Amino acid sequence: EAQVTQNPRYLITVTGKKLTVTCSQNMNHEYMSWYRQDPGLGLRQIYYSMNVEVTDKGDVPEGYKVSRKEKRNFPLILESPSPNQTSLYFCASSPGTGGGFELFFGSGTQLSVL
Amino acid sequence: GEDVEQSLFLSVREGDSSVINCTYTDSSSTYLYWYKQEPGAGLQLLTYIFSNMDMKQDQRLTVLLNKKDKHLSLRIADTQTGDSAIYFCAEGDMRFGAGTRLTVKP
């Protein structure tokens, strides 16, 4: 089954404790992206990747890191999480960019930073 | 930056039509999208429209695009309780609106 898999679904952590949210897609998509969803703000893009070893900042990259060593994986790293990073996070992938391509989303990771 | 704006809430009765509106600012967007998010799930593409079209119909869904006013709307005919969800408008570079929560009352 074609899908984007994120783990974990739920995560509670404390300020400053490094964490990684994994994302994997099995559709051989070139484009992958991370979003955070906050009430009243919708989805805001954190980072995106056009291909292996190519990553770029989105609208809200501060406090996050990503890597794209393999085509299928695009982990999101919070080196020192803070409470303002409490949010619902989504990973997405797409065959390409430039319009007309559907974004496929994971089921989301609800992160709480205490 | 460019903004995509939507109203946050819409409530309709089962069987009525729902109209969800969206305005965007990037006139260079070649595609505009509607995504649906059901509770506890990620977003799924509902439909999209190419910028040289002014209307697209797909079963109960009708998308209208007014490029001059940068206004996009999604009409759902004969709205059902299963249509209750959050609907996101997105423009070509995948900039999303805040989402409209549609509640369908029996």
Side-chain angles (χ1 to χ4, degrees):
Chain A
E1 182 191 351
Q3 59 186 0
V4 178
T5 304
Q6 289 178 235
N7 280 298
R9 285 295 306 270
Y10 302 94
L11 181 56
I12 301 173
T13 190
V14 295
T15 299
K17 187 176 181 183
K18 181 180 176 180
L19 66 91
T20 300
V21 184
T22 63
C23 174
S24 180
Q25 50 93 5
N26 62 2
M27 296 169 278
N28 201 37
H29 285 170
E30 292 189 348
Y31 180 89
M32 297 186 75
S33 182
W34 276 102
Y35 295 86
R36 59 177 288 173
Q37 183 179 14
D38 300 290
L41 297 176
L43 267 71
R44 292 180 293 167
Q45 191 177 50
I46 302 170
Y47 269 94
Y48 64 97
S49 169
M50 305 280 273
N51 213 325
V52 175
E53 300 292 2
V54 180
T55 62
D56 279 297
K57 295 178 181 179
D59 295 324
V60 288
E62 293 77 21
Y64 304 95
K65 283 175 56 176
V66 291
S67 68
R68 188 92 182 273
K69 294 187 173 64
E70 308 160 284
K71 202 170 189 179
R72 63 182 293 126
N73 295 323
F74 190 45
L76 180 69
I77 302 153
L78 284 72
E79 294 270 4
S80 183
S82 62
N84 65 12
Q85 292 178 297
T86 292
S87 187
L88 178 58
Y89 290 86
F90 287 101
C91 178
S93 72
S94 173
T97 58
F101 291 108
E102 177 180 354
L103 268 176
F104 293 82
F105 283 83
S107 298
T109 297
Q110 180 65 58
L111 172 65
S112 296
V113 183
L114 305 176
Chain B
E2 306 291 349
D3 285 330
V4 179
E5 295 189 352
Q6 306 175 236
S7 53
L8 294 182
F9 302 98
L10 176 65
S11 180
V12 302
R13 293 223 170 267
E14 193 172 21
D16 288 350
S17 291
S18 307
V19 179
I20 302 171
N21 294 302
C22 169
T23 58
Y24 61 98
T25 54
D26 185 358
S27 57
S28 67
S29 293
T30 51
Y31 289 89
L32 294 136
Y33 305 83
W34 285 103
Y35 280 81
K36 178 182 181 182
Q37 184 183 30
E38 297 188 354
L43 282 70
Q44 285 192 299
L45 181 67
L46 202 55
T47 187
Y48 67 91
I49 188 167
F50 188 52
S51 61
N52 71 352
M53 300 168 66
D54 50 22
M55 186 180 91
K56 180 179 179 181
Q57 188 149 5
D58 183 2
Q59 298 182 326
R60 292 190 297 122
L61 304 178
T62 303
V63 179
L64 296 177
L65 174 61
N66 181 329
K67 203 172 177 186
K68 174 176 164 288
D69 294 338
K70 299 191 187 74
H71 183 266
L72 183 72
S73 68
L74 173 69
R75 179 177 180 268
I76 305 172
D78 187 26
T79 314
Q80 303 297 307
T81 54
D83 295 323
S84 292
I86 303 176
Y87 292 81
F88 290 89
C89 168
E91 62 174 352
D93 65 352
M94 288 309 169
R95 192 171 298 273
F96 287 83
T100 300
R101 183 181 294 276
L102 174 64
T103 303
V104 182
K105 298 179 180 177

